[in-house]
Amino acid sequence: MSTDPHAMSADPGGPDAGPGPGAPESAPGAPESGPRAAPLARRVALVAERLGTPEYRVAASIAQLGLAARLWSVALGAAALHGAVPDLSPGTLHWDPARSTPDELWWSGTGAGPATAPELLRTVQHGHLEPLAAAFRAAGPVSPALLRGNSGSALGGALRELTRWAERNGRPDAARRAAALAAELLDHPDLAGTLQRPALRRRTCCLYYRCPGGGLCGDCVFDAPPRRAAAGPGLAGGASAP
């Protein structure tokens, strides 16, 4: 995923994202430091500001969850509806950390792979979410189990939305394909145990409840917000959580 902030229009939240003059840089999933890590840090800071949270782990979790949701939705939707998984390799997927979702991503590719669970796993989980989690953990303290849970939650959310769309539009075939692919993915060791099935309720919390005015997500592991402990480290980062 290119982190060049000029790869898309610089207007945050604007409706017409388009490629700009910038050249692709490194994927945000690579655990780097210095200028090439700046886009990821800017994204976490932007999410923290919008949510009103001072905690790095909360902002990093929500930022990662948003990207995971976009990636799983695009890949699973294309597989279920069109029988192919877009080639979302880092060189073809551009990201502007200043824009609002879903306009922060722009795909410049044309290729596609087979609509199989291994291809989805390779493209999304291995190609983006695992290196992205490593980058977040290199920048500050955030639990790997939380980030892995976010990946499973994002996949479950993509399945739910696609199923609703298929029901509204008379496409039970797409819903069946999506469900079968998601089930195979959730059986894989990389994602196994992230969700309670068949309800697709997650086994970890994304920490949104720790934001001012935040609550529980629809698939949250908690039935009620837990008592809030002391705030964790701020955006300056520190050692990764165990």
Side-chain angles (χ1 to χ4, degrees):
M1 189 185 298
S2 168
T3 57
D4 177 12
H6 302 294
M8 299 178 68
S9 168
D11 174 26
D16 298 316
E25 295 182 5
S26 63
E32 299 171 339
S33 59
R36 301 187 78 173
L40 190 64
R42 288 201 302 272
R43 180 60 159 212
V44 173
L46 179 64
V47 171
E49 179 183 6
R50 288 176 174 171
L51 295 177
T53 178
E55 294 185 80
Y56 172 82
R57 61 175 179 157
V58 176
S61 171
I62 302 305
Q64 184 251 12
L65 181 56
L67 285 168
R70 303 298 175 271
L71 292 166
W72 279 126
S73 295
V74 168
L76 183 65
L81 291 168
H82 304 293
V85 175
D87 173 19
L88 301 177
S89 56
T92 68
L93 192 63
H94 308 268
W95 177 57
D96 185 341
R99 293 182 68 96
S100 299
T101 54
D103 295 326
E104 85 277 28
L105 294 180
W106 167 61
W107 184 53
S108 62
T110 57
T116 65
E119 181 70 7
L120 284 164
L121 192 75
R122 183 194 68 81
T123 299
V124 178
Q125 183 70 12
H126 297 165
H128 291 284
L129 297 184
E130 288 181 355
L132 185 63
F136 278 118
R137 284 179 47 73
V142 58
S143 166
L146 182 156
L147 297 176
R148 184 171 174 270
N150 282 353
S151 180
S153 175
L155 174 60
L159 175 60
R160 277 189 292 269
E161 290 303 315
L162 182 54
T163 299
R164 293 186 186 112
W165 181 91
E167 291 173 348
R168 291 194 305 268
N169 291 273
R171 290 292 306 272
D173 57 317
R176 287 192 297 269
R177 283 194 294 270
L181 288 168
E184 189 173 347
L185 287 166
L186 291 171
D187 283 336
H188 191 276
D190 287 353
L191 294 170
T194 57
L195 300 181
Q196 301 175 48
R197 296 154 70 183
L200 300 180
R201 185 175 182 177
R202 62 182 297 162
R203 296 179 182 274
T204 58
C205 178
C206 71
L207 304 180
Y208 177 64
Y209 79 92
R210 296 184 65 84
C211 300
L216 301 182
C217 302
D219 66 343
C220 188
V221 65
F222 296 122
D223 294 318
R227 179 179 299 177
R228 293 184 59 173
L235 300 190
S240 293

